[in-house]
Amino acid sequence: MKYTTLICLFFIAGLASLSAQQEKSEKPAVAEMTTKFRVYGNCGMCEKRIEKAAQIEGVGLADWDQETGILTVHFDPAKVKPSQIHKAVAAVGHDTDKVKASDEVYEQLHACCQYERPGAGQ
């Protein structure tokens, strides 16, 4: 009799767990979006810095291509806007096609990371 009661309790606990998992999986998935934009930089150190800066809350993946200068970002639009990503990257010294890094932060970059700034010398 005791074993029957134990088996019933385990069975009920298993059903409750399965039901909770089903409820979680039935929630609609958040649509992930992708944006691509130009980020100025030169080298592998730039790549690490840019990708790390872009990894703000709501960003799933950030990949900067050194050859093209294009940053590809997969993000949750309910948590982050592309403009926030531009600002985060500019905050570490890298100009984007929409936000310019401050001169002070840019000048603190390692010499090999100091790219030719858009509009410089005009």
Side-chain angles (χ1 to χ4, degrees):
M1 184 75 171
K2 288 182 184 181
Y3 292 114
T4 306
T5 305
L6 272 174
I7 291 172
C8 287
L9 286 174
F10 283 122
F11 181 73
I12 292 170
L15 286 177
S17 175
L18 181 62
S19 175
Q21 288 176 355
Q22 268 185 324
E23 287 177 20
K24 287 181 184 178
S25 66
E26 290 175 7
K27 292 181 183 177
V30 174
E32 187 174 84
M33 296 185 69
T34 301
T35 187
K36 295 182 180 191
F37 55 90
R38 176 85 162 101
V39 178
Y40 293 86
N42 294 327
C43 64
M45 286 194 310
C46 294
E47 181 174 8
K48 287 179 184 177
R49 186 181 309 106
I50 291 164
E51 290 174 356
K52 184 178 178 181
Q55 288 288 333
I56 60 178
E57 184 179 346
V59 171
L61 172 77
D63 181 47
W64 184 70
D65 186 306
Q66 186 176 337
E67 289 183 33
T68 64
I70 300 298
L71 177 64
T72 303
V73 183
H74 300 276
F75 66 98
D76 178 350
K79 294 182 179 178
V80 66
K81 294 179 176 39
S83 62
Q84 293 171 293
I85 303 166
H86 281 266
K87 290 175 186 175
V89 171
V92 297
H94 293 274
D95 297 341
T96 75
D97 54 8
K98 292 188 178 181
V99 179
K100 184 179 182 218
S102 73
D103 292 336
E104 295 79 19
V105 176
Y106 171 79
E107 290 167 7
Q108 291 177 10
L109 293 175
H110 190 272
C112 73
C113 296
Q114 291 186 354
Y115 51 91
E116 188 173 327
R117 297 186 90 176
Q122 290 181 356

